[in-house]
Amino acid sequence: MHQRIHYLSPLPIRLADFWKIFIDDPDTVFKTQAARVRHHMVAGVPAPLRGYLWQIMAKSRNNGELDSEYRELLKRISPHEKAIQRDLARTFPNMDFFREQGGKGQQSLFNVIKAYSLFDQQVGYCQGLPFIVGCLLLNMSDEMAFSVLVKMMSQYGMRSQFTPNMELLQERLYQFNHLLQEMLPQVYDHLVREGVDASMYVSQWLLTLFAYKCPIQLTFRVFDTFFLEGATVLLRFSLALMFRSQQTLLGLEFDSLVEFLNNDIFGVYEGDENGFIQDAYHIDLSPRVLARLSKQYHNGAAREAKAQSQEEQVRKTNVELSTKLRALEKTYQALEKDHREVVEQVIESKLHVAKVDAENQQLRCQLAQVRAEAAKLKSTITAGEDLQKRNAQLHARNHDLQDQVADLEAILSSVTLKYAECESAYEEMQQRLRETRTA
């Protein structure tokens, strides 16, 4: 299992002379002995010096400003901390330095990635970063690893691979596809027929500098060359893998191709780190060719962006129209509901009106009956009033008659009395007459 390398470990004496000169004055050695530097770098950087040399080539060593900023960033909270923590155990899980959960390796890995996510908030956190940072931490302290990472992103142009649109990654994939088609047309055509796109395997290589599945010693050699030549050397390594594996690739179908390209392709260089480097340098990849492909990509990307912009505008218009349509449909549904309610209310109103009309008709009939009865009653009342009036008249007449009767009775009583008196006188006269006759 790979352990962390201490860059202060002693070098074998046979390597000390050149690297001592280089470390003492790297700028001068680069200017005066560029070929020799390249030769020694390609031949292999001594493990004890690897981290130290990476810092020198990245010009990150003794950068007090970055060191101070790193310490300050660690005091802050990153919005990506949960995602970073989740990926720690997946980064080099078979290496002792990173295996222990919460151990020094995982803590250092977390600190560097967290600090960078705060340092460059546009990049934030990307899943390829832990493998790059892991390789740095195997060769230097976390403070130094942070400074080197910052330089890799800025000075070596890696940052555009990790921004949200991954512009540089898309450009590299475009260049790789065209170079593969030109250099290995049979392999390219076979991959196209099988539906295997470069993004399905090359993306992983470029985003992790081959660290995801590549044996660690091979990965370190890639890093050595990367710090020497720059990011474009990654295309050389990618094409070298395809050249060395072309016969195997031609015999595989989709599923096996994807599995091989992502996991097994590095086996062709197992134990042959020098062969990997040499094959990469044997690939003819001039800056002019890369510049031409880059220009083609950007022109195409500009056209595609314009088309996408127009498409996006159409899509945006469609979304707006769809939103309006949904709003209109919703309004129509509401109006339709209101209409149904109004219709129901109208029907209910008509039924109510019909019922009221029927009730009114019944009431009119009842009113007519009442009026007839009232008229009849009025007639009866009028007759009663006439009777009362006649009765009053009769009563008055009766009273008058009673008065007359009383008068007549008084007269009759007087006459009767007088008659009685006359009868009595008459009887008395007859008595006298008889008496006279008898006498």
Side-chain angles (χ1 to χ4, degrees), residues 185-218:
Q186 285 185 310
V187 172
Y188 175 85
D189 292 340
H190 178 65
L191 292 174
V192 171
R193 283 193 301 270
E194 292 297 323
V196 178
D197 187 75
S199 61
M200 300 169 70
Y201 57 99
V202 180
S203 296
Q204 176 204 109
W205 301 348
L206 299 180
L207 286 173
T208 65
L209 272 67
F210 296 90
Y212 181 63
K213 286 291 182 178
C214 186
I216 195 65
Q217 292 303 325
L218 277 179

Side-chain angles (χ1 to χ4, degrees), residues 38-204:
R38 179 172 285 104
H39 169 77
H40 283 284
M41 291 291 292
V42 171
V45 172
L49 277 181
R50 178 165 274 129
Y52 193 85
L53 291 174
W54 289 355
Q55 294 173 62
I56 290 176
M57 287 185 285
K59 301 185 185 303
S60 67
R61 187 158 181 79
N62 298 324
N63 192 323
E65 184 177 344
L66 280 177
D67 292 343
S68 298
E69 187 163 5
Y70 173 70
R71 288 189 292 271
E72 289 300 316
L73 290 170
L74 290 182
K75 300 175 184 178
R76 294 164 52 186
I77 297 175
S78 168
H80 304 283
E81 289 189 13
K82 288 185 179 179
I84 298 170
Q85 287 282 7
R86 187 173 56 247
D87 290 337
L88 291 179
R90 305 172 189 172
T91 306
F92 300 128
N94 296 323
M95 291 188 180
D96 292 338
F97 185 60
F98 297 109
R99 181 179 299 160
E100 182 183 355
Q101 185 175 0
K104 184 177 180 181
Q106 287 195 11
Q107 187 60 50
S108 296
L109 191 62
F110 174 80
N111 287 344
V112 175
I113 299 172
K114 167 194 166 179
Y116 190 80
S117 72
L118 292 167
F119 177 82
D120 188 344
Q121 296 185 25
Q122 185 181 7
V123 170
Y125 172 65
C126 180
Q127 287 186 328
L129 286 174
F131 291 93
I132 294 175
V133 175
C135 289
L136 297 177
L137 288 172
L138 288 170
N139 293 278
M140 63 189 74
S141 67
D142 54 337
E143 294 90 346
M144 296 173 182
F146 175 77
S147 297
V148 172
L149 179 63
V150 170
K151 295 297 182 178
M152 290 175 73
M153 290 294 191
S154 57
Q155 183 175 305
Y156 286 83
M158 291 286 290
R159 182 177 182 275
S160 296
Q161 283 194 171
F162 297 95
T163 50
N165 293 328
M166 294 184 167
E167 297 91 346
L168 181 60
L169 178 63
Q170 301 303 322
E171 180 180 337
R172 291 285 186 256
L173 291 174
Y174 178 87
Q175 292 171 326
F176 175 84
N177 262 327
H178 282 266
L179 291 169
L180 183 65
Q181 183 179 18
E182 179 181 336
M183 297 178 181
L184 293 171
Q186 285 185 310
V187 172
Y188 175 85
D189 292 340
H190 178 65
L191 292 174
V192 171
R193 283 193 301 270
E194 292 297 323
V196 178
D197 187 75
S199 61
M200 300 169 70
Y201 57 99
V202 180
S203 296
Q204 176 204 109

Side-chain angles (χ1 to χ4, degrees), residues 399-434:
H399 188 270
D400 290 340
L401 288 175
Q402 285 180 348
D403 290 342
Q404 290 177 5
V405 168
D407 291 341
L408 288 173
E409 286 178 347
I411 293 172
L412 180 57
S413 176
S414 175
V415 169
T416 300
L417 181 60
K418 287 180 178 180
Y419 175 75
E421 290 176 351
C422 284
E423 280 291 328
S424 177
Y426 176 71
E427 284 293 333
E428 184 181 352
M429 284 181 66
Q430 281 183 347
Q431 184 68 32
R432 285 177 180 173
L433 180 55
R434 276 184 311 263

